[in-house]
Amino acid sequence: MLSRLWELIWADWIWFPEGHGWADFTDHDGKVYPKPKDLWATIPIALAFLVIRQIFERKVAIPLAYLLGVKEELRVFASPNPILESYFCRRSKHPTQIVMETLSKQTGRSVRQVQRWFRRRRNQDRPSKVKKFREASWRFTFYLFAFFAGLAVLIDKPWFYEMKMMWEGFPKMSLLPSQYWYYMMELGFYVSLLFSVASDIKRKDFKEQIVHHVATITLIGFSWLVNYIRAGTLIMLVHDASDYLMESAKMFNYAGWKRTCNCIFTIFAAVFIITRLVILPFWIVHTTWVYPLTVYRPFFGFYFFNGLLFVLILLHMFWAALILRMVVKFLPGNVRKRKLQRSHCHIFLTIFFLTY
């Protein structure tokens, strides 16, 4: 029964236009096509990324952090207390007032002293600025490399300039070596992020990060399986175009270079809006949603792929709204800017990182 269900799920009529199917991906006459087994290569690539990351952070990121002036905040550590430590680790990091009074009686300390202990203990677990800088610099390095690698892969391709050509010959489009490595590197990187999520900085959107990584891996993997590779490479390039700017803004924010951070943030906001709210929906998605209907009859794979893209666009609209709110709030002459006396980059990063 399971085998029949498996065959039904991967039936040709679900994922391909009429008259096409998985048999079209059989290699012939020197032409190579994407295959599910190719995705196993992302596991060793992901493990390699984890090793390279450790070397990079120790040999490059940490010295660069100190060179740019990243300074650690002096922290007062909580004094050892088995009762409070047990409650902190097993129950809650933010006990209620009633619990505070109970713990005060158990430890022989005043309620104020217990409150101070929990505050200091929470501060101990906060990641240091150097650790944040290390993570941001690693992601910046990859996204920068991925953007220019993607640009090199696509710059000489006709569908980079005439996007309708991404459907020419679909699904019998042979795989190029450059496309293979671009896909494997991107997918391997996101798999490595999923592997390292336990040791990375846990922000308030920890669960959302897990969902994001899984969704990204699913999207890239699905586009590989059904040979939406031309569209996939364009979509990955559009996303990488602003990600490295975001990470560099974080780096300079941790280093305290507010003016540089503000400048990069402004560029990031412009690139983000242009690539994700203009190029993606009006050029790429228009070509994946409208144009194919003039060539093929609709099929489930068509709706599934474009449905995922529309979800991405909705997320981009949400994030863009946060960006624009920050831009408007801190325009020159805004009274609130003088009252708050804070970098608009710092505030934006605090809010944006919780959802991005």
Side-chain angles (χ1 to χ4, degrees), residues 20 22 40-41 48 53 55 72 98 100 102-103 105 110 170 186 215 217 227 255 262 268 282 287 314-315 324 351:
H20 297 284
W22 300 106
W40 287 109
R53 175 179 175 175
I55 298 173
E72 296 290 1
I98 297 176
M100 288 282 192
T102 303
L103 292 173
K105 295 177 182 179
S110 66
F170 176 81
E186 287 273 358
I217 292 170
N227 207 6
N262 293 348
F268 159 75
F282 294 106
T287 308
L314 290 176
L315 289 171
L324 292 176
I351 298 174

Side-chain angles (χ1 to χ4, degrees), residues 8-9 14 47 49 88 140 162 172 174 213 239 259:
L8 178 62
I9 292 175
I14 294 179
L47 296 176
F49 270 130
F88 181 89
F140 161 77
E162 181 58 44
K172 300 180 180 180
S174 60
H213 294 337
H239 284 76
R259 291 185 179 180

Side-chain angles (χ1 to χ4, degrees), residues 71-252:
K71 298 179 180 178
E72 296 290 1
E73 297 178 357
L74 295 177
R75 301 181 184 182
V76 179
F77 290 91
S79 58
N81 190 299
I83 296 176
L84 298 180
E85 184 69 26
S86 176
Y87 188 91
F88 181 89
C89 296
R90 299 179 181 180
R91 299 288 186 84
S92 173
K93 298 180 180 180
H94 299 272
T96 62
Q97 183 63 29
I98 297 176
V99 173
M100 288 282 192
E101 294 174 358
T102 303
L103 292 173
S104 173
K105 295 177 182 179
Q106 293 177 353
T107 58
R109 297 187 177 193
S110 66
V111 174
R112 184 176 293 276
Q113 287 176 326
V114 174
Q115 291 173 339
R116 185 183 301 113
W117 188 94
F118 274 92
R119 184 171 60 252
R120 290 177 176 176
R121 184 62 183 82
R122 287 193 297 270
N123 287 337
Q124 284 181 215
D125 289 346
R126 288 172 53 197
S128 65
K129 283 188 176 181
V130 172
K131 181 174 176 58
K132 293 179 180 179
F133 184 92
R134 286 165 53 185
E135 283 192 14
S137 60
W138 165 245
R139 298 190 185 197
F140 161 77
T141 302
F142 174 80
Y143 289 136
L144 182 66
F145 168 80
F147 172 69
F148 284 104
L151 200 60
V153 169
L154 288 165
I155 197 68
D156 61 340
K157 305 300 185 295
W159 55 87
F160 182 69
Y161 305 95
E162 181 58 44
M163 293 189 179
K164 291 181 180 179
M165 295 191 68
M166 73 171 67
W167 293 102
E168 184 179 2
F170 176 81
K172 300 180 180 180
M173 301 178 295
S174 60
L175 179 66
L176 301 175
S178 58
Q179 293 173 327
Y180 172 86
W181 286 109
Y182 186 33
Y183 253 79
M184 294 301 108
M185 291 297 106
E186 287 273 358
L187 190 53
F189 177 74
Y190 282 105
V191 172
S192 73
L193 290 183
L194 196 61
F195 287 164
S196 64
V197 73
S199 60
D200 286 344
I201 297 172
K202 292 181 175 61
R203 299 185 176 89
K204 293 182 180 180
D205 63 339
F206 175 75
K207 294 180 180 179
E208 289 79 4
Q209 286 184 13
I210 297 293
V211 173
H212 174 267
H213 294 337
V214 172
T216 302
I217 292 170
T218 303
L219 278 167
I220 298 176
F222 171 75
S223 65
W224 176 269
L225 291 176
V226 294
N227 207 6
Y228 291 162
I229 291 178
R230 293 181 180 179
T233 52
L234 290 170
I235 294 168
M236 288 190 295
L237 180 68
V238 163
H239 284 76
D240 290 336
S242 61
D243 284 341
Y244 72 91
L245 291 170
M246 185 65 187
E247 298 301 329
S248 62
K250 290 163 63 176
M251 291 168 59
F252 285 108

